[in-house]
Amino acid sequence: MTTIADFSEQFFGFQDVLVDNSNGRLEFTGHNVEGSLWPGDGKPGLWMNSLSRMGAIYSLIVREEEILLEKRRREKSGGEGVAIEAGRDEEIELVVPPVFKGCTRVLDAGEQMVAREMYWEAVSCTDGLERAEELLVGCIEKNPFVGEPHVVLSQVYLSSGRFEEGEREAMEGLTLLLEWGSPWDKRMSWEGLTEDAKGISEEVQHWLSDTFP
């Protein structure tokens, strides 16, 4: 779980070039020191497939521990209380993080890559809000586990006068950002992103109260 937190906080596009993460599986197959200049292009990193697999394995470990402890409870006379077994660190509570739907989903490496490119094109889009919306909706369909595409999409909806949809996306983005505790798009701070999402929601609430008193 600590590895998941560390990678999500620190990893971005620069490391993808550095370790040749061209397939999005984060297998550390290269050491491209000469071809990777920090900070690179600033794209979000392709670490989510790897971390989703880690999370799935971790959730299985937690489940296995629960089964083992329950078995020992049932085997013990009376079924109450189980002594901690020395050497197994059983006093440590295994907490499953909320990311990837409680670590029950694995994000496909290819879809992760497509989603990132759609997001990057959307935030650089000069072809109007309709095209940006199309890209962001597609990005979210491919990778529903990060908050930034939702927050940007909420801005698109707000600019188009679609306030309820804007608030919905802002709140979904905020929920995902709070689950991670760090930004996927490292060009912006986590604090700034969460405040942006909150601000959009508050703006919509003010509009609704003024329009429908």
Side-chain angles (χ1 to χ4, degrees), residues 84-103:
I84 293 175
E85 189 174 306
R88 297 195 72 253
D89 295 324
E90 291 181 351
E91 71 280 5
I92 299 175
E93 181 182 3
L94 298 179
V95 179
V96 177
V99 296
F100 302 116
K101 301 294 184 183
C103 292

Side-chain angles (χ1 to χ4, degrees), residues 154-193:
S154 73
Q155 297 174 41
V156 172
Y157 287 151
L158 208 62
S159 298
S160 304
R162 297 156 65 181
F163 298 106
E164 292 87 352
E165 292 170 279
E167 183 185 25
R168 181 196 68 209
E169 292 300 326
M171 294 310 296
E172 178 64 21
L174 178 60
T175 298
L176 290 165
L177 285 163
L178 292 174
E179 287 182 357
W180 281 106
S182 60
W184 175 62
D185 187 340
K186 301 297 190 295
R187 298 174 304 159
M188 299 172 282
S189 70
W190 179 83
E191 292 82 2
L193 285 163

